[in-house]
Amino acid sequence: QVQLVESGGGLVQAGGSLRLSCAASGRTFSTYSMGWYRQAPGKEREFVAGIRWTGDNTLYADSVKGRFTISKDNAKNTVYLQMNSLKVDDTAVYYCTAGRRGATSWQFDYWGQGTQVTVSS
């Protein structure tokens, strides 16, 4: 099993920035990828960004390209999501996720509890 703990959510004004962190523990060696999803009230959960533990391969949703940056610290088993130029539409619960299906898959198997991000106008 892999445990994921998110932190860094909060309330910010539109145009501001937040950085989310996700600390992974447990059988992290079994995972290939980490990612972030989000779910806004009344909407389905959607993919935000992903990163491989090995190499520099990243993937972003079109809605966050150029504003959000996903990064990692392998030594700390931690992944970050730097969110800049935040919009009201970015308001959601953000979930950290980890995948164990191989180095070419962007499917995920483990989920954190989520952290709330609220962007005010």
Side-chain angles (χ1 to χ4, degrees):
Q1 281 287 9
V2 174
Q3 293 78 44
L4 304 172
V5 178
E6 304 100 334
S7 61
L11 174 65
V12 64
Q13 286 190 327
S17 299
L18 278 176
R19 189 177 83 153
L20 305 183
S21 300
C22 174
S25 61
R27 297 173 60 89
T28 57
F29 58 85
S30 68
T31 59
Y32 292 87
S33 308
M34 298 289 290
W36 291 93
Y37 275 69
R38 67 185 181 186
Q39 187 167 20
K43 295 186 178 181
E44 294 187 353
R45 191 175 296 189
E46 64 174 358
F47 174 79
V48 175
I51 190 168
R52 306 293 190 199
W53 278 123
T54 302
D56 299 321
N57 193 8
T58 58
L59 184 68
Y60 293 94
D62 288 343
S63 59
V64 306
K65 278 182 183 176
R67 300 189 298 122
F68 290 11
T69 302
I70 189 169
S71 62
K72 60 184 178 176
D73 185 331
N74 291 64
K76 296 181 178 180
N77 286 334
T78 299
V79 174
Y80 305 96
L81 185 68
Q82 178 66 44
M83 305 185 293
N84 298 330
S85 301
L86 282 161
K87 304 175 181 179
V88 173
D89 286 348
D90 294 319
T91 295
V93 177
Y94 283 70
Y95 296 91
C96 179
T97 185
R100 57 177 171 81
R101 304 190 193 192
T104 59
S105 171
W106 287 112
Q107 291 184 298
F108 297 94
D109 305 281
Y110 305 103
W111 297 85
Q113 293 300 307
T115 185
Q116 177 70 46
V117 171
T118 303
V119 184
S120 63
S121 59

